[in-house]
Amino acid sequence: EAQVTQNPRYLITVTGKKLTVTCSQNMNHEYMSWYRQDPGLGLRQIYYSMNVEVTDKGDVPEGYKVSRKEKRNFPLILESPSPNQTSLYFCASSPIKGASGHGYTFGSGTRLTVV
Amino acid sequence: SQQGEEDPQALSIQEGENATMNCSYKTSINNLQWYRQNSGRGLVHLILIRSNEREKHSGRLRVTLDTSKKSSSLLITASRAADTASYFCATAFTGTASKLTFGTGTRLQVTL
């Protein structure tokens, strides 16, 4: 089944303790992206990647890191989490089809709480 | 912000009625997409309409796009309780075909 898999689904952590949220897709998509979703703010893009070893900042990259060493994986790293990073996080992927665009496939989400 | 804006923020209708949601955006687009999100779950892609298209259908969904007004609408006909969800429009702006910017969504409640 074509899917984007995120882990973990829920995570509670303490301020300053490094964590990684994993994201993997099995559709051979070039494009992958991370979003955070907060009430009243919709989805905001954190980072995205157009292909292996190619990453770029989205709208809210502060406090996050990503890497794209393999096409299928795009982990999100919080080196020193803070309470304002408490949020619902989504990974998404898409094939690159030029100007015609293509719909995203989303993971099920990771609900992160930083205390 | 380039973010799209949905209107209304919330909509409550009875089963069998039609639901219309609107989306406005600010700059030129390559395409506009609509997604559905059930509470706390991942978003599901519903339909994509390109900038040179004016209307598109998929089952009970009808999407229109007016690039002169920079707006789109999503119509769900004969709604069902299972349509209860949040609906988001997302825009791919000219020159950023793969990068989507999402609006804040419309919460649709369909009651029996």
Side-chain angles (χ1 to χ4, degrees):
Chain A
E1 179 188 355
Q3 60 185 358
V4 175
T5 303
Q6 285 180 238
N7 281 297
R9 183 81 174 88
Y10 299 94
L11 180 59
I12 300 174
T13 190
V14 296
T15 298
K17 185 177 182 182
K18 180 179 178 180
L19 67 91
T20 299
V21 183
T22 63
C23 173
S24 180
Q25 51 95 2
N26 62 0
M27 297 164 283
N28 202 37
H29 286 170
E30 292 90 350
Y31 185 90
M32 298 186 74
S33 182
W34 278 101
Y35 287 85
R36 61 178 288 174
Q37 185 177 27
D38 303 288
L41 297 177
L43 280 86
R44 294 178 293 167
Q45 190 179 51
I46 303 170
Y47 269 95
Y48 64 97
S49 169
M50 301 286 276
N51 214 326
V52 175
E53 301 293 359
V54 179
T55 63
D56 210 344
K57 296 177 181 179
D59 299 316
V60 288
E62 295 78 20
Y64 304 94
K65 287 175 59 178
V66 293
S67 68
R68 189 92 181 271
K69 295 185 172 63
E70 306 164 284
K71 198 171 190 178
R72 63 183 293 125
N73 295 323
F74 190 45
L76 179 69
I77 303 157
L78 285 72
E79 296 260 351
S80 183
S82 62
N84 65 11
Q85 293 179 298
T86 292
S87 187
L88 180 57
Y89 291 87
F90 290 102
C91 180
S93 74
S94 171
I96 291 180
K97 294 286 189 181
S100 62
H102 199 280
Y104 281 11
T105 301
F106 276 83
S108 297
T110 295
R111 189 168 291 279
L112 172 65
T113 301
V114 184
V115 298
Chain B
S1 168
Q2 294 181 321
Q3 190 175 51
E5 294 182 5
E6 286 93 341
D7 171 60
Q9 288 188 325
L11 180 61
S12 183
I13 59 174
Q14 289 191 319
E15 204 171 46
E17 294 181 334
N18 296 341
T20 300
M21 288 158 266
N22 303 297
C23 172
S24 61
Y25 57 91
K26 295 179 180 175
T27 60
S28 296
I29 60 170
N30 279 321
N31 66 76
L32 185 145
Q33 305 179 26
W34 286 90
Y35 288 80
R36 184 187 73 232
Q37 183 183 33
N38 291 94
S39 181
R41 306 298 296 181
L43 281 76
V44 175
H45 180 254
L46 295 176
I47 197 165
L48 180 154
I49 186 165
R50 296 181 177 83
S51 58
N52 61 352
E53 297 175 316
R54 291 297 168 258
E55 188 170 313
K56 209 160 182 181
H57 297 256
S58 176
R60 294 184 295 112
L61 305 181
R62 172 179 169 253
V63 169
T64 61
L65 179 64
D66 187 335
T67 53
S68 67
K69 295 181 179 179
K70 292 185 171 58
S71 67
S72 173
S73 67
L74 170 67
L75 169 66
I76 304 174
T77 59
S79 61
R80 306 165 181 168
D83 294 328
T84 294
S86 291
Y87 292 82
F88 294 85
C89 71
T91 44
F93 295 104
T94 301
T96 62
S98 291
K99 181 176 186 292
L100 291 184
T101 300
F102 286 81
T104 53
T106 292
R107 291 191 66 182
L108 173 65
Q109 177 76 41
V110 181
T111 56
L112 296 172

